[in-house]
Amino acid sequence: MTVYALKPAFQTLLRPVAAGMVRRNWTANRITAAGFITATLTGAVFAAGAASRQWLVLVPILLLARMGLNALDGIVAREYGQATARGRINNEVADVMGDAIAYLPVMVLLPDRATLVAAVVVLAMIAEFVAVLDPAARRNDGPFGKSDRAVAFGLLAVLVATGVSGFWMSLVLGAMVAAALLTISNRVREQI
């Protein structure tokens, strides 16, 4: 079970929003760009959290907004005839680069756990690369897909904001590394 399993219900909730955005001349590519900007803001908030932990309460909100934008760009592309090869590439690149920009600043927040943070981000990038190797179908196998990472990093922000640190952060990040490795394995296995 992953957060991705909730995507159909999430998309149903967002369809009226997508219709409104299309009426206001939002394209799928503009929504993808907005998601990337939201990822950039998330990274900035993580970095600001090193100086003042109160900023970290914004992280779950920004990550939820990013997940919404990621769902909306797909809805608009598919359901409003805006799907293009260039848009698909833009979406995949924005997702992978957005993850790196959003999550690498956690190294500033947790400098003593920087290696674990970097490992999570690199493994997430590999998982997303593996996901698109099959041109016929994108793999979304978990347990640590894009939405799951958003939930995990949102939880991490809340934990740090409430003063959890040290060994517990190593445990959380270690679990994220293990989940990312399992995700890569699952996605490779499903394609061979």
Side-chain angles (χ1 to χ4, degrees), residues 135-159:
R138 188 189 199 293
R139 299 302 315 178
N140 292 303
D141 308 275
F144 203 56
K146 183 173 47 179
S147 300
D148 305 295
R149 286 191 299 275
V151 170
F153 275 99
L155 175 62
L156 184 136
V158 170
L159 290 173

Side-chain angles (χ1 to χ4, degrees), residues 26-190:
W26 278 79
T27 63
N29 287 335
R30 280 179 71 189
I31 297 168
T32 298
F36 185 79
I37 291 166
T38 305
T40 304
L41 290 171
T42 304
V45 169
F46 267 127
S52 178
R53 289 184 179 171
Q54 67 191 15
W55 284 103
L56 297 175
V57 299
L58 295 175
V59 168
I61 297 164
L62 287 168
L63 290 173
L64 181 61
R66 182 177 177 220
M67 282 194 292
L69 290 164
N70 286 343
L72 284 164
D73 67 3
I75 292 169
V76 169
R78 281 185 309 280
E79 297 178 13
Y80 291 89
Q82 295 184 23
T84 64
R86 180 179 300 237
R88 184 176 46 80
I89 292 168
N90 288 345
N91 180 61
E92 294 297 337
V93 171
D95 283 349
V96 171
M97 294 305 298
D99 270 10
I101 289 169
Y103 303 141
L104 281 175
V106 175
M107 294 184 343
V108 175
L109 182 64
L110 302 172
D112 52 337
R113 305 292 184 274
T115 302
L116 281 171
V117 173
V120 171
V121 173
V122 168
L123 291 170
M125 293 174 90
I126 293 168
E128 294 308 310
F129 172 73
V130 171
V132 297
L133 287 177
D134 180 358
R138 188 189 199 293
R139 299 302 315 178
N140 292 303
D141 308 275
F144 203 56
K146 183 173 47 179
S147 300
D148 305 295
R149 286 191 299 275
V151 170
F153 275 99
L155 175 62
L156 184 136
V158 170
L159 290 173
V160 173
T162 58
V164 175
S165 63
F167 170 76
W168 296 107
M169 283 300 107
S170 293
L171 220 77
V172 169
L173 289 165
M176 291 165 76
V177 166
L181 287 168
L182 183 57
T183 299
I184 293 166
S185 173
N186 288 341
R187 289 178 180 185
V188 168
R189 189 179 62 252
E190 291 299 322

